[in-house]
Amino acid sequence: MIISWNVTRACNLKCKHCYRDAGTKDTDELNFKEAKGLLEEIARTGFKIVILSGGEPLLREDIYELISYARSCGLRPVLGTNGILINQEIARRLKGAGLVRAGISLDSIDSKIHDEFRQKNGAWQKSVSGMQACKIIGLEFQIHTTVTRRNFKEILRITDFACEVGANAHHIFFLVPTGRGKDIEDSTISPQDYEILLQNILKKQKGLSLELKPVCAPQFIPIARQMNLDIRFQRGCLAGISYCCVLPNGDVHPCPYLPIRLGNVREHNFSLIWQENSVFKTLRSLDYKGKCGGCEYKDTCGGCRGRAYYNSGDYMQEDIICRL
């Protein structure tokens, strides 16, 4: 079970696709005492991995203490970061605090494309320098890439780059129009290109020790089965089933790309929200509508619930990008 906690909305970039519309710190983000209570609840509820993201999590002053406390609770803390603040000293502090792995964003081999998407000159070089610092210190890291019409033809070249710089994984995120991502909806790739790219990612995985994982692309599970490929992942969309998201102010959502408020950890224990909220229960029912409801792969794929919600207003509707 995995949970993503956006520890702050403060950010040093203004990325065009940001689901959290990050930039300025919220005045009501959870304080350290509240954060410790949340981490304890997350562990008690059975979650194993906590993704500390943002915004930019390294802008939160107590991030090292949060990592250390998460580890003391028996959780595996990982970081979702743009990487531009990471140098050898920061990497050493992160590793010393108990961080298991850093996920660093990189959206192109071409620095100009990446910098334009992240809206910061020099962002590409600083992110790569952050990766190199992690490698030197011995802190595991992986690359995160968001797929758009502009970069989808170079995704596997970014995988090659990930291998070259010593990354442990390349997670490939398919755009869901949420937050600022709504402003670039027209940059979403076509259903045909989506399916072809998933096939190529799965083919690429063969022979690589580096882990490739499509994210917000649950159809990769049935496509792998159709291609007779063995993969370690058992289910596509995890929203509400074995995954959810906590916002900086303590609001709980089923997924960062499914912006439905299900409660707040200041008002109710996280475990109560996770176990009793009706939206979570509905998501776990797998009682999907439309083509997803009648699909033979609904138990293993599930369609992207965030994309269904954006396109129809109903998080249980079909995922229209699917061509299966």
Side-chain angles (χ1 to χ4, degrees):
M1 292 171 61
I2 305 172
I3 188 166
S4 178
W5 173 25
N6 302 131
V7 298
T8 184
R9 206 168 68 85
C11 196
N12 46 9
L13 296 181
K14 199 74 172 178
C15 305
K16 291 184 176 181
H17 68 304
C18 181
Y19 62 78
R20 198 56 65 218
D21 193 15
T24 304
K25 175 183 175 180
D26 291 334
T27 58
D28 59 348
E29 70 181 32
L30 299 178
N31 60 38
F32 184 61
K33 181 178 179 180
E34 292 170 323
K36 288 171 63 179
L38 173 61
L39 290 169
E40 292 167 4
E41 274 283 297
I42 288 171
R44 277 196 295 265
T45 308
F47 285 82
K48 302 302 181 185
I49 298 174
V50 57
I51 305 169
L52 304 171
S53 62
E56 173 48 56
L58 289 176
L59 291 178
R60 179 153 173 154
E61 293 181 357
D62 59 2
I63 188 64
Y64 304 101
E65 289 79 12
L66 291 176
I67 292 168
S68 180
Y69 198 76
R71 199 65 185 264
S72 73
C73 292
L75 296 165
R76 288 173 56 83
V78 298
L79 201 68
T81 173
N82 57 46
I84 68 176
L85 294 176
I86 298 179
N87 53 30
Q88 289 187 42
E89 178 184 356
I90 297 297
R92 188 176 290 107
R93 288 188 68 187
L94 289 170
K95 184 177 181 180
L99 189 72
V100 174
R101 183 178 292 183
I104 299 176
S105 300
L106 194 79
D107 298 301
S108 179
I109 297 299
D110 187 329
S111 61
K112 293 181 180 179
I113 293 175
H114 176 89
D115 290 357
E116 193 270 336
F117 191 57
R118 299 282 165 174
Q119 302 202 80
K120 179 78 170 181
N121 290 335
W124 187 94
Q125 185 55 61
K126 289 180 179 179
S127 294
V128 173
S129 295
M131 297 175 198
Q132 293 168 338
C134 290
K135 182 65 176 177
I136 291 170
I137 297 303
L139 174 62
E140 287 191 7
F141 70 94
Q142 62 190 49
I143 290 179
H144 293 168
T145 300
T146 297
V147 178
T148 65
R149 290 182 184 271
R150 191 168 185 184
N151 71 352
F152 81 97
K153 292 184 178 179
E154 65 166 321
I155 294 301
L156 299 186
R157 288 197 286 127
I158 300 175
T159 298
D160 292 335
F161 180 81
C163 293
E164 292 171 9
V165 295
N168 297 88
H170 183 200
H171 286 195
I172 301 161
F173 290 72
F174 287 76
L175 181 67
V176 179
T178 309
R180 286 200 293 270
K182 293 179 180 178
D183 299 331
I184 59 169
E185 180 188 4
D186 59 356
S187 69
T188 303
I189 63 175
S190 70
Q192 181 178 8
D193 288 335
Y194 172 79
E195 184 174 340
I196 291 171
L197 180 53
L198 287 179
Q199 291 171 346
N200 289 337
I201 291 169
L202 289 165
K203 291 175 185 175
K204 182 77 170 180
Q205 178 67 86
K206 294 191 297 182
L208 284 182
S209 58
L210 173 145
E211 174 192 273
L212 284 179
K213 184 183 180 184
V215 182
C216 300
Q219 289 79 16
F220 85 94
I221 300 286
I223 288 174
R225 293 189 176 185
Q226 292 176 351
M227 297 171 65
N228 294 317
L229 296 176
D230 291 325
I231 56 174
R232 73 176 186 87
F233 305 104
Q234 301 301 312
R235 181 170 172 81
C237 184
L238 305 177
I241 298 172
S242 58
Y243 176 74
C244 72
C245 177
V246 180
L247 275 62
N249 69 346
D251 283 348
V252 178
H253 288 186
C255 167
Y257 307 98
L258 185 50
I260 302 175
R261 184 182 185 274
L262 307 184
N264 187 285
V265 300
R266 284 181 168 133
E267 301 165 2
H268 303 285
N269 286 342
F270 170 77
S271 58
L272 182 66
I273 298 170
W274 174 254
Q275 293 163 4
E276 299 297 333
N277 184 269
S278 61
V279 173
F280 279 140
K281 290 182 177 180
T282 301
L283 286 165
R284 292 165 195 159
S285 74
L286 310 187
D287 189 19
Y288 305 127
K289 302 174 184 177
K291 293 179 180 178
C292 283
C295 180
E296 63 180 300
Y297 298 111
K298 75 173 187 176
D299 292 340
T300 53
C301 170
C304 176
R305 296 300 97 210
R307 202 154 42 230
Y309 181 73
Y310 176 78
N311 288 310
S312 70
D314 184 347
Y315 57 87
M316 296 302 284
Q317 261 297 349
E318 65 185 53
D319 181 358
I320 64 172
I321 202 171
C322 181
R323 282 165 32 98
L324 292 176

